[in-house]
Amino acid sequence: MTDGLYIHIPFCHQICHYCDFNKVFFENQPVDGYLDALGEELQMMNEEGIFGEGPLTIFIGGGTPTALSVRQLEKLFGSIERSVPKGRLVEFSTEANPDELTPDKLASLKERGVGRLSIGVQSFDEGLLRRLGRTHGPGDAERVIRDARDAGFENLSIDLMYGLPGQTGAQWEDTLDRALALGLPHYSAYSLIVEPKTVFYNLMNKNLLPLPGEDAEADMFRMLMDRMESAGLRQYEISNFSKEGFQSAHNKLYWQNRTYAGAGAGAHGYVNGERYSNHGPLKKYMNAVAEGRRPVFETHRVTAGEEMEEEMFLGLRMIDGVSGAAFRKRFGRDIRDVYGNQISRLENQGLLEEEEGCVRLTEKGVFLGNEVFAQFIG
């Protein structure tokens, strides 16, 4: 039985300049054929007993799920309803683009049980949005929040980005002002990471990507944390802030190192002690399903040592940290028996602390999280 289900929709009407996820341009793609294959994959997973009584969370991501038409969304939801038990479901989320989330799509999502929207806003600066390759404008983001509320959605989140090419502190502050003025219960904010095989990566290699620099990025992160705290939003993970009761249940599964199934081209899963990834290319994915088999490309049996490493470097992303009692219950060993040297060293550096039986990042450690996580790998 898995705790979560991730469903991947790899289609986009526009490819963003920073995105390295598995995606293709929507035009001239076999979208309906893909949705048929996805429905068959979900049915195979159900027949194998992967879902058990049903997942706790369902998350539809991409790509861009809202690139689908209303008819295609209905087709997708029909497949989910036929194959995925919902006896335990506590959260049903989907990603969305502001300029694609029309009132009729909102109505379809609401009617089919989606309760949480994660909307990719990224910035409220028109120029930065164009630089990112986004197709919406600041007004679209504000409009879609109004439309979502009119459709009955309360659990709303937006994604923001900082450390962008040419971005100034003043631009970031203005984006935070406009984002917080929406009064949402959840915000995610990520610093730009330039990934291979992206437009930004190619520009960086040509010295044509003017990034703000580490100090400026750290100042933006500090501004983010201060503004969110002032607005009554608790930082519960390095990049995520929420009001009470609105933390992302699905994303917490990842950070808590719990199980989840992944369906769709390029999707990843963690089931029965194995991490797996599906074929990414649509043709390979669809051919595998047509042959009556799960479209799994590769699997990896997670060793006990790897599982403990993941417990640490994923769990330490959470502001509450890793519970010593939970670690002992899961692995039968004391956390300091396994990682005492690393924890002590990081405590001496002011990057970790232990409080109420939990090992967690200090304020300084939050800024240097990747350096901390690296101490628990390998």
Side-chain angles (χ1 to χ4, degrees):
M1 181 184 297
T2 61
D3 294 315
L5 168 63
Y6 172 79
I7 298 173
H8 192 71
I9 304 299
F11 306 108
C12 295
H13 290 296
Q14 167 70 19
I15 303 299
C16 297
H17 296 169
Y18 54 87
C19 180
D20 72 331
F21 294 125
N22 190 49
K23 77 282 182 186
V24 293
F25 278 112
F26 190 95
E27 190 173 353
N28 299 321
Q29 295 294 338
V31 179
D32 284 284
Y34 175 81
L35 293 174
D36 289 337
L38 179 58
E40 292 179 38
E41 183 191 9
L42 290 172
Q43 183 60 39
M44 292 179 199
M45 296 168 85
N46 186 37
E47 290 172 356
E48 290 180 21
I50 288 175
F51 300 135
E53 296 176 10
L56 293 167
T57 65
I58 300 174
F59 190 98
I60 307 173
T64 315
T66 50
L68 301 178
S69 67
V70 171
R71 179 188 61 78
Q72 290 164 338
L73 284 170
E74 290 292 324
K75 188 173 189 175
L76 170 63
F77 288 125
S79 295
I80 295 171
E81 290 172 1
R82 282 191 296 274
S83 299
V84 184
K86 293 184 179 179
R88 302 194 304 153
L89 190 64
V90 298
E91 182 183 274
F92 192 172
S93 307
T94 186
E95 292 178 345
N97 272 356
D99 55 337
E100 295 175 347
L101 202 51
T102 58
D104 55 345
K105 290 183 184 180
L106 283 164
S108 176
L109 296 173
K110 188 67 177 176
E111 182 179 345
R112 292 295 194 146
V114 174
R116 183 177 186 273
L117 300 178
S118 178
I119 303 170
V121 172
Q122 316 312 354
S123 176
F124 283 90
D125 184 274
E126 188 79 47
L128 287 174
L129 287 170
R130 300 287 79 77
R131 180 167 286 184
L132 291 169
R134 304 293 289 177
T135 55
H136 72 273
D140 294 316
E142 292 161 335
R143 172 198 55 78
V144 80
I145 294 299
R146 293 194 298 270
D147 289 348
R149 283 172 166 154
D150 289 343
F153 287 95
E154 297 179 1
N155 196 349
L156 299 168
S157 176
I158 61 174
D159 287 352
L160 302 172
M161 295 181 71
Y162 61 96
L164 303 176
Q167 186 180 33
T168 65
Q171 287 174 314
W172 178 230
E173 185 172 22
D174 180 67
T175 279
L176 290 175
D177 286 342
R178 295 181 69 168
L180 290 170
L182 297 171
L184 302 178
H186 191 283
Y187 296 85
S188 299
Y190 303 96
S191 63
L192 173 68
I193 298 175
V194 181
E195 300 284 4
K197 300 181 182 179
T198 64
V199 172
F200 277 175
Y201 185 79
N202 293 334
L203 290 172
M204 184 177 70
N205 285 340
K206 298 175 183 177
N207 293 317
L208 296 174
L209 196 69
L211 299 175
E214 290 184 4
D215 290 343
E217 186 176 306
D219 289 341
M220 292 180 189
F221 187 37
R222 166 58 66 191
M223 184 188 299
L224 167 70
M225 292 191 295
D226 290 345
R227 294 298 305 277
M228 290 291 165
E229 183 178 7
S230 295
L233 294 143
R234 178 177 179 265
Q235 184 180 19
Y236 68 96
E237 190 269 346
I238 288 178
S239 301
N240 287 271
F241 306 79
S242 77
K243 295 180 180 177
E244 186 67 31
F246 287 92
Q247 295 181 1
S248 170
H250 184 82
N251 286 337
K252 284 178 70 174
L253 295 181
Y254 300 145
W255 303 319
Q256 293 169 345
N257 202 20
R258 295 168 69 179
T259 60
Y260 60 94
H268 294 253
Y270 182 26
V271 178
N272 297 326
E274 276 191 348
R275 292 196 180 274
Y276 71 87
S277 59
N278 280 352
H279 287 289
L282 297 191
K283 186 175 182 180
K284 289 187 176 181
Y285 171 83
M286 294 169 67
N287 284 347
V289 174
E291 293 168 3
R293 56 188 174 86
R294 292 269 306 281
V296 174
F297 170 62
E298 60 182 359
T299 62
H300 173 71
R301 172 64 59 177
V302 179
T303 68
E306 289 169 337
E307 189 177 0
M308 286 189 285
E309 289 178 3
E310 292 169 353
E311 187 82 2
M312 297 303 295
F313 71 75
L314 292 171
L316 284 172
R317 292 193 61 88
M318 300 284 289
I319 299 303
D320 289 341
V322 178
S323 163
F327 188 96
R328 190 180 306 108
K329 181 178 180 180
R330 181 166 186 169
F331 301 108
R333 300 181 65 184
D334 188 87
I335 192 170
R336 286 189 180 266
D337 287 344
V338 182
Y339 293 114
N341 290 338
Q342 293 95 320
I343 292 171
S344 295
R345 182 167 60 249
L346 291 165
E347 285 176 330
N348 291 334
Q349 295 171 1
L351 301 176
L352 282 185
E353 62 186 2
E354 184 171 358
E355 186 172 339
E356 297 181 353
C358 291
V359 177
R360 66 185 189 187
L361 295 173
T362 62
E363 182 176 339
K364 178 182 176 183
V366 169
F367 280 85
L368 299 171
N370 288 336
E371 294 182 22
V372 175
F373 307 148
Q375 299 302 307
F376 298 95
I377 300 174

